Amino acid sequence: MGRIFLVLFSLLSIDAAAQDMQRIKDLANNFSHENLVCGAYYLFVSQCIKNKSATDPVATQYFEGGNTFLKRGIETGRIAGVSDKALNAKVEIAIEEMKRDTDNDCVNISVLYQQHAYSCKATYEQGPSTFADKLSKMGVR
């Protein structure tokens, strides 16, 4: 009887570990997606600013922010097991949606601002610590 309990307990522990790993992957995938969309948004805004004024330093700030988002998105996407193809597809889909939402005209950028500015700013400033906090609450250090 003791052996059966030990075997069942071991199986339950393995199952719990697999569930924990899946939750970590899901969390990383969600954080990756959020960063990839924000990266696409920042790069889109950067291009719109450059189209209006090629030397505007704000365009460079948005471009650099976009690259930071993309780097985070790729790194956490890989933790989640997302392929490079899928990571690229997520960015391309986000950009296509942004083009559609603005009728492919930067004069309509306020639509994207309303959809993304606040959440992306929060993700840029607090995203890594929020992600780390969530991992910590799951018992990951």
Side-chain angles (χ1 to χ4, degrees):
M1 184 69 158
R3 280 187 171 181
I4 293 173
F5 178 74
L6 185 60
V7 169
L8 287 175
F9 182 74
S10 295
L11 290 174
L12 290 174
S13 295
I14 292 169
D15 187 46
Q19 288 175 353
D20 287 346
M21 184 53 72
Q22 187 58 51
R23 288 189 1 230
I24 291 167
K25 284 184 171 186
D26 290 345
L27 181 65
N29 185 41
N30 291 340
F31 186 66
S32 170
H33 182 79
E34 188 177 336
N35 276 276
L36 294 173
V37 170
C38 288
Y41 166 69
Y42 269 54
L43 294 176
F44 194 96
V45 171
S46 173
Q47 190 59 54
C48 284
I49 293 169
K50 279 184 185 179
N51 291 348
K52 194 171 184 178
S53 174
T55 59
D56 191 330
V58 175
T60 302
Q61 291 172 340
Y62 269 96
F63 183 80
E64 289 170 358
N67 284 331
T68 297
F69 278 121
L70 293 178
K71 182 179 176 192
R72 283 185 199 166
I74 291 166
E75 288 171 354
T76 53
R78 287 187 176 142
I79 290 169
V82 180
S83 71
D84 287 345
K85 253 184 166 175
L87 292 168
N88 286 329
K90 288 180 180 195
V91 174
E92 289 175 15
I93 290 167
I95 289 172
E96 287 304 314
E97 287 176 0
M98 290 175 198
K99 285 180 180 179
R100 212 173 23 256
D101 289 346
T102 60
D103 296 328
N104 206 20
D105 191 335
C106 290
V107 75
N108 298 317
I109 197 82
S110 58
V111 172
L112 300 182
Y113 181 83
Q114 182 182 29
Q115 292 174 350
H116 301 287
Y118 178 75
S119 62
C120 288
K121 183 177 187 288
T123 298
Y124 188 83
E125 294 172 351
Q126 301 153 3
S129 63
T130 301
F131 181 67
D133 288 346
K134 289 178 181 178
L135 285 174
S136 180
K137 287 178 183 173
M138 295 171 72
V140 177
R141 301 199 192 281

